[in-house]
Amino acid sequence: MKNNIQSSVLVAVDMGSQTFRAMAAEIISTGAIRVLGVEESSLKCCVHQGVVDNTSDAGYMLTNIVKLLGNRIRKEMLNSVFLSVGGRTLKVVSVNSTHDFVFQRDIAPELLIKMESKCVEKIETKNPGVAVLDLIPSYYKLDGKVQENAPAPNQRAVFVEANFNAFVGKKELDEKIKKTFERTPLHLEKKYVRPEALVNALASDEDLEEGCAVLDLGAQTTTLTIYKGGQYLHNQVIPSGGFDITEAIGHLGVSLAQAEHLKCVYGVASVSMLTANRQYVLTNGGGNKITISSLDLANTISNTLDTILSPLMEALNKEAHRLKVLYVTGGGAMLQGVVDYIQTKTSVQVMYGSHAAWLSSDTPDQYCMPCYTSLVGTLLLGAKYRETHPLNHYSKDKR
């Protein structure tokens, strides 16, 4: 049996498009996040496009990185985690629930929980192959009067309406997450979808009200999320990402490792960004020398980006007149010139997304990189959840 106790340390796990990454942190007195350490699984064998393929391997991988994280920061009993998930099947839908009293009555917290459950049931009954991964409050109406926050226990009404943004995915995604955790000694404290974590880490209150979008450039998936005035207007996932760019470069005659090096060190998002046509000479697996020009490299990257981003840019531009800014994040945001490239595709202001404002002043610079944004956003959501849901003593059988 594993016994677990309340801890001031928060642990966030991001289930990316290929692997798991975990971050441990503390919330200091200023409200900032102090990152204590990060661990990432070295194997990429059981998660594909954000969906678990093999729950046994995923459970082992997850247990191992959290154990390594505890060793790194010299903290035992890191057994409770907050999880962010994405995946190729993720979509957002609006859903609501209503309750009509005969007379004006206090709105008990139990009623709101019941209304949330009704919303989940409404979606999953209508769509048997779908699971609600995250249900995010949008707004409430009490006797026709709109309010953003959940009704307080002392508020009274005859007619109550609760409106939510529901992130849904194939039931298989949710079931495999549950089975993965069943194979670990870990407690899944709360699950969030990555778009919600990213929006929390990157967007200001003004952005959320005036309209913003987040483009998450992952290894195997690329996701566009559009938000305005308390509503998720759109969420679209393309099952392609940075790895597809690496593969395309590999078709020039080099190994994937060499292709990844070329992309990260010499790659640019557009031919227009080249200052000269340099030649890169490499030796392939057969011992033959391969010469790749920077022009060929840039053309390959740009053409692949066009293929990946075209449907997302089309969706973004339909809402462009309603949006203030597009934030670009994820590992692919580190590709040289990618923001300038995207800016040529839209009238919306494009910026690098940065979560640095949430980090304590003594946080190492490496944790400001965009590959950590979803973890920081998950920690922010987890810290808020922990305020009203203290982590009680519990035990779990080790599987």
mmCIF file of all heavy atoms in Angstrom, residues 248-284:
data_model
loop_
_atom_site.group_PDB
_atom_site.id
_atom_site.type_symbol
_atom_site.label_atom_id
_atom_site.label_comp_id
_atom_site.label_asym_id
_atom_site.label_seq_id
_atom_site.Cartn_x
_atom_site.Cartn_y
_atom_site.Cartn_z
ATOM 1 N N ALA A 248 10.397 15.248 -43.491
ATOM 2 C CA ALA A 248 10.518 15.830 -44.828
ATOM 3 C C ALA A 248 11.971 16.168 -45.139
ATOM 4 O O ALA A 248 12.450 15.953 -46.264
ATOM 5 C CB ALA A 248 9.642 17.081 -44.931
ATOM 6 N N ILE A 249 12.701 16.681 -44.141
ATOM 7 C CA ILE A 249 14.129 16.977 -44.345
ATOM 8 C C ILE A 249 14.895 15.677 -44.554
ATOM 9 O O ILE A 249 15.817 15.600 -45.376
ATOM 10 C CB ILE A 249 14.688 17.760 -43.132
ATOM 11 C CG1 ILE A 249 13.997 19.119 -43.006
ATOM 12 C CG2 ILE A 249 16.209 17.951 -43.266
ATOM 13 C CD1 ILE A 249 14.317 19.857 -41.717
ATOM 14 N N GLY A 250 14.494 14.623 -43.834
ATOM 15 C CA GLY A 250 15.139 13.320 -43.989
ATOM 16 C C GLY A 250 15.046 12.788 -45.413
ATOM 17 O O GLY A 250 15.934 12.064 -45.872
ATOM 18 N N HIS A 251 13.987 13.151 -46.127
ATOM 19 C CA HIS A 251 13.824 12.709 -47.511
ATOM 20 C C HIS A 251 14.861 13.317 -48.455
ATOM 21 O O HIS A 251 14.985 12.900 -49.606
ATOM 22 C CB HIS A 251 12.415 13.045 -48.012
ATOM 23 C CG HIS A 251 11.347 12.247 -47.336
ATOM 24 N ND1 HIS A 251 10.040 12.667 -47.243
ATOM 25 C CD2 HIS A 251 11.404 11.048 -46.678
ATOM 26 C CE1 HIS A 251 9.332 11.755 -46.586
ATOM 27 N NE2 HIS A 251 10.146 10.779 -46.236
ATOM 28 N N LEU A 252 15.608 14.311 -47.937
ATOM 29 C CA LEU A 252 16.702 14.880 -48.733
ATOM 30 C C LEU A 252 17.922 13.959 -48.720
ATOM 31 O O LEU A 252 18.922 14.251 -49.382
ATOM 32 C CB LEU A 252 17.080 16.264 -48.197
ATOM 33 C CG LEU A 252 15.977 17.340 -48.263
ATOM 34 C CD1 LEU A 252 16.454 18.637 -47.619
ATOM 35 C CD2 LEU A 252 15.554 17.595 -49.714
ATOM 36 N N GLY A 253 17.837 12.853 -47.945
ATOM 37 C CA GLY A 253 18.908 11.861 -47.987
ATOM 38 C C GLY A 253 19.706 11.705 -46.715
ATOM 39 O O GLY A 253 20.751 11.044 -46.717
ATOM 40 N N VAL A 254 19.218 12.277 -45.595
ATOM 41 C CA VAL A 254 19.959 12.198 -44.334
ATOM 42 C C VAL A 254 19.122 11.436 -43.308
ATOM 43 O O VAL A 254 17.939 11.192 -43.506
ATOM 44 C CB VAL A 254 20.304 13.607 -43.796
ATOM 45 C CG1 VAL A 254 21.241 14.324 -44.758
ATOM 46 C CG2 VAL A 254 19.034 14.423 -43.567
ATOM 47 N N SER A 255 19.762 11.046 -42.203
ATOM 48 C CA SER A 255 19.055 10.340 -41.135
ATOM 49 C C SER A 255 18.131 11.305 -40.403
ATOM 50 O O SER A 255 18.269 12.531 -40.503
ATOM 51 C CB SER A 255 20.057 9.742 -40.143
ATOM 52 O OG SER A 255 20.706 10.775 -39.418
ATOM 53 N N LEU A 256 17.198 10.738 -39.621
ATOM 54 C CA LEU A 256 16.289 11.593 -38.859
ATOM 55 C C LEU A 256 17.038 12.427 -37.821
ATOM 56 O O LEU A 256 16.676 13.580 -37.569
ATOM 57 C CB LEU A 256 15.222 10.736 -38.173
ATOM 58 C CG LEU A 256 14.146 10.129 -39.086
ATOM 59 C CD1 LEU A 256 13.175 9.289 -38.270
ATOM 60 C CD2 LEU A 256 13.389 11.223 -39.841
ATOM 61 N N ALA A 257 18.075 11.850 -37.227
ATOM 62 C CA ALA A 257 18.873 12.607 -36.253
ATOM 63 C C ALA A 257 19.557 13.792 -36.925
ATOM 64 O O ALA A 257 19.593 14.908 -36.384
ATOM 65 C CB ALA A 257 19.906 11.692 -35.599
ATOM 66 N N GLN A 258 20.106 13.566 -38.123
ATOM 67 C CA GLN A 258 20.735 14.667 -38.856
ATOM 68 C C GLN A 258 19.696 15.689 -39.305
ATOM 69 O O GLN A 258 19.943 16.904 -39.263
ATOM 70 C CB GLN A 258 21.477 14.105 -40.076
ATOM 71 C CG GLN A 258 22.713 13.301 -39.722
ATOM 72 C CD GLN A 258 23.296 12.574 -40.926
ATOM 73 O OE1 GLN A 258 22.552 12.072 -41.776
ATOM 74 N NE2 GLN A 258 24.612 12.501 -40.999
ATOM 75 N N ALA A 259 18.527 15.203 -39.710
ATOM 76 C CA ALA A 259 17.457 16.102 -40.136
ATOM 77 C C ALA A 259 16.998 16.992 -38.987
ATOM 78 O O ALA A 259 16.771 18.197 -39.172
ATOM 79 C CB ALA A 259 16.287 15.290 -40.683
ATOM 80 N N GLU A 260 16.872 16.410 -37.799
ATOM 81 C CA GLU A 260 16.462 17.187 -36.629
ATOM 82 C C GLU A 260 17.503 18.252 -36.300
ATOM 83 O O GLU A 260 17.160 19.396 -35.962
ATOM 84 C CB GLU A 260 16.264 16.248 -35.430
ATOM 85 C CG GLU A 260 15.808 16.915 -34.160
ATOM 86 C CD GLU A 260 14.370 17.407 -34.199
ATOM 87 O OE1 GLU A 260 13.629 17.032 -35.143
ATOM 88 O OE2 GLU A 260 13.973 18.160 -33.290
ATOM 89 N N HIS A 261 18.788 17.889 -36.429
ATOM 90 C CA HIS A 261 19.867 18.854 -36.172
ATOM 91 C C HIS A 261 19.822 19.996 -37.184
ATOM 92 O O HIS A 261 19.933 21.178 -36.804
ATOM 93 C CB HIS A 261 21.220 18.133 -36.246
ATOM 94 C CG HIS A 261 22.389 19.049 -36.056
ATOM 95 N ND1 HIS A 261 22.782 19.519 -34.831
ATOM 96 C CD2 HIS A 261 23.261 19.596 -36.975
ATOM 97 C CE1 HIS A 261 23.833 20.309 -34.967
ATOM 98 N NE2 HIS A 261 24.144 20.369 -36.257
ATOM 99 N N LEU A 262 19.631 19.677 -38.449
ATOM 100 C CA LEU A 262 19.543 20.716 -39.475
ATOM 101 C C LEU A 262 18.379 21.662 -39.204
ATOM 102 O O LEU A 262 18.500 22.880 -39.321
ATOM 103 C CB LEU A 262 19.387 20.077 -40.858
ATOM 104 C CG LEU A 262 20.629 19.422 -41.473
ATOM 105 C CD1 LEU A 262 20.240 18.633 -42.721
ATOM 106 C CD2 LEU A 262 21.686 20.474 -41.822
ATOM 107 N N LYS A 263 17.240 21.089 -38.849
ATOM 108 C CA LYS A 263 16.047 21.898 -38.586
ATOM 109 C C LYS A 263 16.280 22.852 -37.412
ATOM 110 O O LYS A 263 15.969 24.055 -37.506
ATOM 111 C CB LYS A 263 14.859 20.982 -38.276
ATOM 112 C CG LYS A 263 13.563 21.720 -37.965
ATOM 113 C CD LYS A 263 12.446 20.757 -37.593
ATOM 114 C CE LYS A 263 12.642 20.170 -36.201
ATOM 115 N NZ LYS A 263 11.467 19.357 -35.782
ATOM 116 N N CYS A 264 16.807 22.308 -36.318
ATOM 117 C CA CYS A 264 16.947 23.106 -35.100
ATOM 118 C C CYS A 264 18.059 24.145 -35.178
ATOM 119 O O CYS A 264 17.935 25.241 -34.628
ATOM 120 C CB CYS A 264 17.185 22.179 -33.903
ATOM 121 S SG CYS A 264 15.795 21.097 -33.524
ATOM 122 N N VAL A 265 19.144 23.812 -35.861
ATOM 123 C CA VAL A 265 20.316 24.696 -35.873
ATOM 124 C C VAL A 265 20.324 25.655 -37.062
ATOM 125 O O VAL A 265 20.637 26.839 -36.918
ATOM 126 C CB VAL A 265 21.618 23.860 -35.853
ATOM 127 C CG1 VAL A 265 22.841 24.780 -35.907
ATOM 128 C CG2 VAL A 265 21.659 22.980 -34.605
ATOM 129 N N TYR A 266 19.946 25.163 -38.240
ATOM 130 C CA TYR A 266 20.056 25.980 -39.445
ATOM 131 C C TYR A 266 18.713 26.299 -40.110
ATOM 132 O O TYR A 266 18.649 27.106 -41.021
ATOM 133 C CB TYR A 266 20.932 25.256 -40.487
ATOM 134 C CG TYR A 266 22.309 24.912 -39.976
ATOM 135 C CD1 TYR A 266 22.671 23.579 -39.760
ATOM 136 C CD2 TYR A 266 23.236 25.906 -39.690
ATOM 137 C CE1 TYR A 266 23.933 23.243 -39.292
ATOM 138 C CE2 TYR A 266 24.508 25.583 -39.213
ATOM 139 C CZ TYR A 266 24.846 24.249 -39.017
ATOM 140 O OH TYR A 266 26.092 23.923 -38.543
ATOM 141 N N GLY A 267 17.648 25.655 -39.656
ATOM 142 C CA GLY A 267 16.362 25.809 -40.326
ATOM 143 C C GLY A 267 15.720 27.161 -40.107
ATOM 144 O O GLY A 267 15.843 27.772 -39.043
ATOM 145 N N VAL A 268 15.030 27.652 -41.124
ATOM 146 C CA VAL A 268 14.205 28.859 -41.035
ATOM 147 C C VAL A 268 12.836 28.536 -41.621
ATOM 148 O O VAL A 268 12.683 27.626 -42.435
ATOM 149 C CB VAL A 268 14.836 30.054 -41.771
ATOM 150 C CG1 VAL A 268 16.124 30.502 -41.094
ATOM 151 C CG2 VAL A 268 15.091 29.722 -43.240
ATOM 152 N N ALA A 269 11.847 29.317 -41.214
ATOM 153 C CA ALA A 269 10.474 29.004 -41.593
ATOM 154 C C ALA A 269 10.131 29.411 -43.020
ATOM 155 O O ALA A 269 9.136 28.936 -43.567
ATOM 156 C CB ALA A 269 9.510 29.682 -40.620
ATOM 157 N N SER A 270 10.931 30.272 -43.621
ATOM 158 C CA SER A 270 10.611 30.761 -44.960
ATOM 159 C C SER A 270 11.884 31.080 -45.736
ATOM 160 O O SER A 270 12.884 31.536 -45.153
ATOM 161 C CB SER A 270 9.749 32.027 -44.861
ATOM 162 O OG SER A 270 9.562 32.619 -46.114
ATOM 163 N N VAL A 271 11.831 30.855 -47.030
ATOM 164 C CA VAL A 271 12.976 31.164 -47.906
ATOM 165 C C VAL A 271 13.328 32.638 -47.840
ATOM 166 O O VAL A 271 14.498 33.022 -47.940
ATOM 167 C CB VAL A 271 12.650 30.742 -49.364
ATOM 168 C CG1 VAL A 271 13.740 31.214 -50.316
ATOM 169 C CG2 VAL A 271 12.481 29.231 -49.453
ATOM 170 N N SER A 272 12.336 33.492 -47.661
ATOM 171 C CA SER A 272 12.572 34.945 -47.625
ATOM 172 C C SER A 272 13.464 35.369 -46.470
ATOM 173 O O SER A 272 13.992 36.486 -46.468
ATOM 174 C CB SER A 272 11.236 35.688 -47.547
ATOM 175 O OG SER A 272 10.565 35.380 -46.329
ATOM 176 N N MET A 273 13.673 34.493 -45.494
ATOM 177 C CA MET A 273 14.492 34.815 -44.331
ATOM 178 C C MET A 273 15.965 34.486 -44.526
ATOM 179 O O MET A 273 16.793 34.790 -43.675
ATOM 180 C CB MET A 273 13.958 34.075 -43.098
ATOM 181 C CG MET A 273 12.538 34.444 -42.759
ATOM 182 S SD MET A 273 11.844 33.380 -41.466
ATOM 183 C CE MET A 273 10.133 33.924 -41.488
ATOM 184 N N LEU A 274 16.310 33.847 -45.650
ATOM 185 C CA LEU A 274 17.709 33.496 -45.915
ATOM 186 C C LEU A 274 18.514 34.722 -46.317
ATOM 187 O O LEU A 274 18.060 35.574 -47.080
ATOM 188 C CB LEU A 274 17.787 32.462 -47.036
ATOM 189 C CG LEU A 274 17.234 31.061 -46.733
ATOM 190 C CD1 LEU A 274 17.299 30.204 -47.983
ATOM 191 C CD2 LEU A 274 18.024 30.410 -45.598
ATOM 192 N N THR A 275 19.735 34.805 -45.810
ATOM 193 C CA THR A 275 20.651 35.883 -46.213
ATOM 194 C C THR A 275 21.685 35.389 -47.213
ATOM 195 O O THR A 275 22.313 36.177 -47.912
ATOM 196 C CB THR A 275 21.374 36.440 -44.977
ATOM 197 O OG1 THR A 275 22.059 35.374 -44.299
ATOM 198 C CG2 THR A 275 20.381 37.085 -44.024
ATOM 199 N N ALA A 276 21.864 34.065 -47.283
ATOM 200 C CA ALA A 276 22.796 33.459 -48.239
ATOM 201 C C ALA A 276 22.423 31.997 -48.418
ATOM 202 O O ALA A 276 21.793 31.401 -47.544
ATOM 203 C CB ALA A 276 24.241 33.584 -47.739
ATOM 204 N N ASN A 277 22.827 31.427 -49.561
ATOM 205 C CA ASN A 277 22.535 30.012 -49.820
ATOM 206 C C ASN A 277 23.760 29.178 -49.460
ATOM 207 O O ASN A 277 24.618 28.902 -50.297
ATOM 208 C CB ASN A 277 22.149 29.802 -51.288
ATOM 209 C CG ASN A 277 21.639 28.395 -51.536
ATOM 210 O OD1 ASN A 277 21.259 27.685 -50.616
ATOM 211 N ND2 ASN A 277 21.654 27.984 -52.798
ATOM 212 N N ARG A 278 23.820 28.767 -48.195
ATOM 213 C CA ARG A 278 24.968 28.002 -47.705
ATOM 214 C C ARG A 278 24.805 26.518 -48.045
ATOM 215 O O ARG A 278 23.715 26.047 -48.340
ATOM 216 C CB ARG A 278 25.120 28.192 -46.201
ATOM 217 C CG ARG A 278 25.420 29.641 -45.797
ATOM 218 C CD ARG A 278 25.646 29.747 -44.296
ATOM 219 N NE ARG A 278 26.065 31.090 -43.927
ATOM 220 C CZ ARG A 278 25.244 32.093 -43.662
ATOM 221 N NH1 ARG A 278 23.928 31.896 -43.733
ATOM 222 N NH2 ARG A 278 25.693 33.280 -43.334
ATOM 223 N N GLN A 279 25.920 25.799 -47.972
ATOM 224 C CA GLN A 279 25.927 24.370 -48.254
ATOM 225 C C GLN A 279 26.314 23.609 -46.980
ATOM 226 O O GLN A 279 27.301 23.952 -46.326
ATOM 227 C CB GLN A 279 26.936 24.046 -49.369
ATOM 228 C CG GLN A 279 26.750 24.850 -50.642
ATOM 229 C CD GLN A 279 25.444 24.524 -51.343
ATOM 230 O OE1 GLN A 279 25.102 23.357 -51.509
ATOM 231 N NE2 GLN A 279 24.721 25.564 -51.762
ATOM 232 N N TYR A 280 25.535 22.581 -46.658
ATOM 233 C CA TYR A 280 25.819 21.752 -45.491
ATOM 234 C C TYR A 280 26.165 20.347 -45.973
ATOM 235 O O TYR A 280 25.378 19.710 -46.677
ATOM 236 C CB TYR A 280 24.607 21.705 -44.558
ATOM 237 C CG TYR A 280 24.085 23.085 -44.193
ATOM 238 C CD1 TYR A 280 22.847 23.519 -44.652
ATOM 239 C CD2 TYR A 280 24.849 23.947 -43.410
ATOM 240 C CE1 TYR A 280 22.370 24.772 -44.341
ATOM 241 C CE2 TYR A 280 24.386 25.211 -43.088
ATOM 242 C CZ TYR A 280 23.143 25.624 -43.560
ATOM 243 O OH TYR A 280 22.682 26.878 -43.255
ATOM 244 N N VAL A 281 27.356 19.878 -45.611
ATOM 245 C CA VAL A 281 27.837 18.570 -46.057
ATOM 246 C C VAL A 281 27.762 17.588 -44.891
ATOM 247 O O VAL A 281 28.328 17.820 -43.819
ATOM 248 C CB VAL A 281 29.287 18.659 -46.587
ATOM 249 C CG1 VAL A 281 29.756 17.288 -47.060
ATOM 250 C CG2 VAL A 281 29.386 19.685 -47.715
ATOM 251 N N LEU A 282 27.033 16.480 -45.111
ATOM 252 C CA LEU A 282 26.873 15.456 -44.083
ATOM 253 C C LEU A 282 27.205 14.097 -44.667
ATOM 254 O O LEU A 282 27.174 13.907 -45.879
ATOM 255 C CB LEU A 282 25.433 15.437 -43.543
ATOM 256 C CG LEU A 282 24.893 16.740 -42.939
ATOM 257 C CD1 LEU A 282 24.105 17.517 -43.983
ATOM 258 C CD2 LEU A 282 24.004 16.434 -41.738
ATOM 259 N N THR A 283 27.493 13.154 -43.792
ATOM 260 C CA THR A 283 27.750 11.777 -44.217
ATOM 261 C C THR A 283 26.572 10.913 -43.807
ATOM 262 O O THR A 283 26.198 10.879 -42.635
ATOM 263 C CB THR A 283 29.035 11.241 -43.572
ATOM 264 O OG1 THR A 283 30.129 12.103 -43.911
ATOM 265 C CG2 THR A 283 29.331 9.835 -44.063
ATOM 266 N N ASN A 284 25.960 10.235 -44.781
ATOM 267 C CA ASN A 284 24.791 9.414 -44.465
ATOM 268 C C ASN A 284 25.194 8.049 -43.909
ATOM 269 O O ASN A 284 26.382 7.755 -43.756
ATOM 270 C CB ASN A 284 23.871 9.264 -45.687
ATOM 271 C CG ASN A 284 24.528 8.490 -46.828
ATOM 272 O OD1 ASN A 284 25.553 7.841 -46.653
ATOM 273 N ND2 ASN A 284 23.918 8.558 -47.996
#
